[in-house]
Amino acid sequence: MAQRSSAPNGRTGRPPVTSRAEILAAARRLIDRDGWEKLTVRRLAAELGTGPTTMYHHVRDKEALLLLLLNEYASQMPRPELPSDPRDRIVTATIAIHDALAEWPWAAEVLTANGFVGLFAASSLWPVETVIAATVETGRTLEEAVDVFRNIWFYTVGEILVQAHSPDRAVERDPFFTDLDPTQTPHLAAIGNDWPQLATHPNYAAGLRAIVNGLLP
């Protein structure tokens, strides 16, 4: 006589999912493959070979799943040694944010589209706290410090998303500004096809410092 399956309803296959690490790893696979917009609890359940009802015991919805992913990723962000000068401290903490998000650009899209920053766990918010505290140290109010962070955040996320959505072949495009009339746009005509190389030159840190110095003169 054939041995009956011990799984409910005679189902065989993978064992029930109980590991958060396994759930997050599967969610990352789906995002890398299809994009974060298409991530759902049902698709995650299918990826893991389990039922949606089982998965809902671990994550109640897509937002909760994204928060788990983002907090897990943020908790692994290296914490650099912070300088004593408040402006230098802002730059150092923000570069840490930038470098972490540059490795995972979809996270920048999530944070921009849904305002998830305010939902982060306290342990993941040290870069934001660092920027706010350092700004207050320069004599600004809390309200002004939030505005400083907001401007820095827009610059940082914008740079990451532009780089993420700019294919390498754009640098090789020819011609670029070579057909411009120098009597109308003399400077752009002089730059010509050097524009792609000049426009993609890595200068995030220099731009960040200029913004911080401008916001905190």
Side-chain angles (χ1 to χ4, degrees):
M1 180 181 295
Q3 183 177 0
R4 291 186 178 181
S5 170
S6 59
N9 301 322
R11 293 178 59 191
T12 60
R14 300 182 186 181
V17 177
T18 57
S19 167
R20 172 176 290 189
E22 186 179 3
I23 292 172
L24 296 182
R28 285 194 293 269
R29 287 197 303 272
L30 286 174
I31 290 173
D32 291 341
R33 189 172 70 220
D34 304 323
W36 70 270
E37 299 94 336
K38 295 184 178 180
L39 178 66
T40 66
V41 175
R42 287 184 174 275
R43 293 191 70 189
L44 179 60
E47 177 75 10
L48 289 165
T50 189
T53 302
T54 300
M55 192 55 54
Y56 281 118
H57 288 302
H58 298 278
V59 285
R60 68 177 183 276
D61 53 28
K62 177 178 178 176
E63 180 176 301
L65 179 57
L66 289 171
L67 278 174
L68 281 175
L69 279 166
L70 292 171
N71 275 300
E72 176 78 8
Y73 189 66
S75 68
Q76 299 170 7
M77 184 191 307
R79 300 185 68 157
E81 184 175 350
L82 297 174
S84 58
D85 179 81
R87 289 170 180 79
D88 292 341
R89 207 180 313 144
I90 291 171
V91 170
T92 300
T94 307
I95 287 177
I97 296 174
H98 172 273
D99 291 351
L101 290 177
E103 294 293 324
W104 226 16
W106 74 265
E109 291 190 25
V110 173
L111 293 171
T112 301
N114 297 289
F116 273 27
V117 172
L119 302 176
F120 266 35
S123 59
S124 302
L125 288 172
W126 68 264
V128 182
E129 171 67 20
T130 298
V131 172
I132 297 295
T135 303
V136 170
E137 192 174 321
T138 68
R140 272 62 181 180
T141 65
L142 280 173
E143 290 78 8
E144 291 170 331
V146 171
D147 199 44
V148 167
F149 175 79
R150 181 172 173 268
N151 283 281
I152 292 172
W153 173 248
F154 286 171
Y155 167 65
T156 300
V157 172
E159 197 270 349
I160 289 169
L161 295 182
V162 167
Q163 293 295 335
H165 292 288
S166 298
D168 292 339
R169 65 178 180 274
V171 176
E172 302 171 0
R173 188 168 63 183
D174 185 37
F176 205 80
F177 286 155
T178 55
D179 296 332
L180 293 179
D181 183 351
T183 64
Q184 299 295 320
T185 52
H187 295 88
L188 293 179
I191 293 172
N193 207 44
D194 290 336
W195 178 274
Q197 287 78 17
L198 297 174
T200 56
H201 180 72
N203 61 351
Y204 168 78
L208 173 62
R209 186 168 290 280
I211 290 173
V212 171
N213 288 336
L215 292 170
L216 302 173

